Amino acid sequence: ASSTMFQTITTSDDGERGQVGIGTLIVFIALVLVAAIAAGVLINTAGFLQSQAEATGQESTDLVSERIDVTSTVGIVNETNGSSSGDLQEIRVGVAGAAGSNQIDLSSATIQAVGPNGQRNLIFTDTNETTTTVANGSTQLGNVSEIPDGAFAVQNSSGNFVPASEAVLNDEERFPVVFNPETEPFGEGAGEGTYFGEGDTSSLDIVSPSGATTSVELRAPDLFNEDGEAVRL
C-alpha cells in the first residue's frame, strides 16, 4: 500500500513540476532583460553626466584662470587741441594674461565701458571702418583717432596696430589696449569734438572669451600740464 501511494504521488506531481519550472524560467529571463535595459540606461546616463561634469569643471576653471590682468592705465594729453583744453588724444590700458592662464584671444574679448557719455559695449577692431585709406591702400588703422565708435584696438610694443590673428596674450606677449577718447562713452562720439579729459572718470569691465571679468577704473587728473605728456589714469 505504501508503494502504491508513493507511485501515485510521484506520478501526479510530474506535470505540475514541469509547468512551474517553465514559468520560473520565463520570469527569470524577463528579469534579466529588464536588468540589462536598466543597466544600459544607467551606463548611458553616467557617461553623459561625466561628460557634462568635465565640461562644467573646465568652464569653471577657465572662468577663474583665463582672466585678463590690467598692468597699467595711461592717457596721452592731446597735442592737437592743446593742454589748455584738458583733452586726451588716446587712452592706453596695458593687459596681460593672469597667472596660469593659457592663450587669450583679445579679438574675441569684449569691454563694457561706462563713461561721461553713457555706456557702450566695445569690440576689437583693426580697421577704421571708413572710406579713409592709409599708405598700403587698405582701411587698416593708422592712428588712434581712426578707432570707430563701439571699438577698441590693440597695439604691439612698437606702437603698431595688430590684426586679430596676432592679438593673443600668452606667457611672453603683453599688449596695450587702446581707446579713442572721442568715441562713446568717453566722448560724445567720433567726429563730435568732445574728448575724455581732465577730471573725467570711466569704468571698464574687460570680459575674456571664457567669461572671466576684470574691472578697472579710469580717473583723469584734474589738471594736465604739458601737451603730449603721459598721465596715469
Side-chain angles (χ1 to χ4, degrees):
S2 61
S3 175
T4 302
M5 183 176 65
F6 176 77
Q7 291 176 354
T8 301
I9 293 173
T10 304
T11 303
S12 62
D13 286 349
D14 283 346
E16 294 180 2
R17 287 183 179 180
Q19 291 175 357
V20 171
I22 294 174
T24 303
L25 182 61
I26 293 173
V27 172
F28 175 74
I29 294 172
L31 291 173
V32 170
L33 292 176
V34 171
I37 294 172
V41 172
L42 289 174
I43 291 172
N44 289 336
T45 303
F48 171 75
L49 292 176
Q50 180 182 1
S51 299
Q52 190 175 44
E54 290 176 352
T56 302
Q58 185 61 49
E59 290 175 1
S60 300
T61 301
D62 291 345
L63 194 60
V64 174
S65 63
E66 301 300 311
R67 186 172 55 84
I68 299 172
D69 279 345
V70 173
T71 58
S72 63
T73 54
V74 176
I76 307 299
V77 177
N78 202 328
E79 294 184 285
T80 304
N81 292 344
S83 59
S84 60
S85 64
D87 295 333
L88 294 179
Q89 67 182 19
E90 60 184 86
I91 298 171
R92 305 171 64 85
V93 176
V95 296
S101 65
N102 295 317
Q103 294 185 341
I104 300 176
D105 184 6
L106 289 176
S107 67
S108 297
T110 59
I111 299 178
Q112 300 167 358
V114 179
N117 292 281
Q119 184 272 341
R120 195 76 183 260
N121 290 331
L122 310 179
I123 60 174
F124 173 87
T125 187
D126 55 2
T127 62
N128 58 27
E129 298 183 5
T130 69
T131 56
T132 303
T133 58
V134 292
N136 60 8
S138 71
T139 58
Q140 185 176 4
L141 287 172
N143 54 63
V144 175
S145 64
E146 295 178 359
I147 298 175
D149 286 316
F152 66 87
V154 175
Q155 291 181 335
N156 57 24
S157 57
S158 301
N160 298 318
F161 292 99
V162 299
S165 60
E166 298 178 12
V168 180
L169 293 174
N170 53 41
D171 292 339
E172 299 177 356
E173 293 290 347
R174 296 186 176 190
F175 296 104
V177 174
V178 186
F179 305 92
N180 181 355
E182 189 181 14
T183 58
E184 294 179 350
F186 309 107
E188 292 184 355
E192 297 296 328
T194 303
Y195 296 77
F196 188 88
E198 291 176 344
D200 286 338
T201 62
S202 179
S203 62
L204 306 177
D205 287 332
I206 304 174
V207 184
S208 70
S210 65
T213 302
T214 301
S215 298
V216 59
E217 294 289 330
L218 304 179
R219 299 181 181 275
D222 292 334
L223 182 64
F224 300 153
N225 294 323
E226 298 179 10
D227 295 348
E229 74 170 335
V231 294
R232 179 175 293 180
L233 301 179

